[in-house]
Amino acid sequence: MVMTDEMMKAVENDLVFFATSTADGVPNVVPIGFAKPIDSEHILIVDNYMHKTHENLEKNPEAALVVKDAKKCPYQFKGKVEIFESGKIFDDAVEWVTNVMSKQPKAAMLMTVEKIYSVQPGPDAGKQVD
């Protein structure tokens, strides 16, 4: 699934909420300040303080992400997440975060957007976007 320029700008410029679940389905949602698309199909999410989220993704790579301001970006993004603790994706995350704060990230997470759903109130709420 491909994100539009509008979707990508909203993810990069707003707080996002990142949802994961344990292998047996116990949900967890956290606010994320460091999330940005790296292209129209992938979102980089930086793990600065995650505990449950990181553990969940190790056992269940499925996740969902929504932007705080649904008026700017009324979409939910779902897909699989890979965790990187070294290599180019991790290095890019370290460079991004250390330019803003002194803490080095624990990991970089790369979400491949597989489905996009509307969260806009009304008749299309919950429907998959083509």
Side-chain angles (χ1 to χ4, degrees):
M1 193 79 218
V2 175
M3 294 179 288
T4 66
D5 288 341
E6 177 185 25
M7 291 172 182
M8 291 190 298
K9 286 177 189 169
V11 169
E12 187 168 358
N13 295 324
D14 203 351
L15 180 71
V16 301
F17 292 92
F18 189 51
T20 61
S21 66
T22 62
D24 57 347
V26 177
N28 184 59
V29 178
V30 295
I32 302 290
F34 285 98
K36 69 177 179 180
I38 59 169
D39 60 37
S40 64
E41 297 177 350
H42 298 93
I43 300 171
L44 175 64
I45 300 146
V46 179
D47 174 0
N48 286 320
Y49 303 105
M50 296 177 191
H51 299 287
K52 290 181 283 189
T53 299
H54 194 112
E55 289 173 7
N56 288 350
L57 290 169
E58 287 176 342
K59 296 177 180 111
N60 177 6
E62 298 288 335
L65 182 144
V66 295
V67 174
K68 178 186 76 168
D69 189 346
K71 290 180 183 173
K72 289 181 187 173
C73 185
Y75 303 103
Q76 177 191 66
F77 306 97
K78 289 187 177 184
K80 287 191 175 51
V81 176
E82 292 179 77
I83 300 171
F84 296 88
E85 295 176 341
S86 63
K88 180 177 179 3
I89 292 171
F90 178 73
D91 293 343
D92 290 348
V94 169
E95 181 179 348
W96 177 32
V97 171
T98 55
N99 283 329
V100 177
M101 58 190 281
S102 61
K103 180 169 177 42
Q104 174 149 336
K106 296 189 303 184
M109 299 174 173
L110 189 63
M111 179 181 199
T112 300
V113 177
E114 297 172 343
K115 295 180 182 175
I116 301 173
Y117 294 89
S118 173
V119 295
Q120 180 75 38
D124 291 334
K127 290 186 180 176
Q128 187 170 343
V129 176
D130 294 327

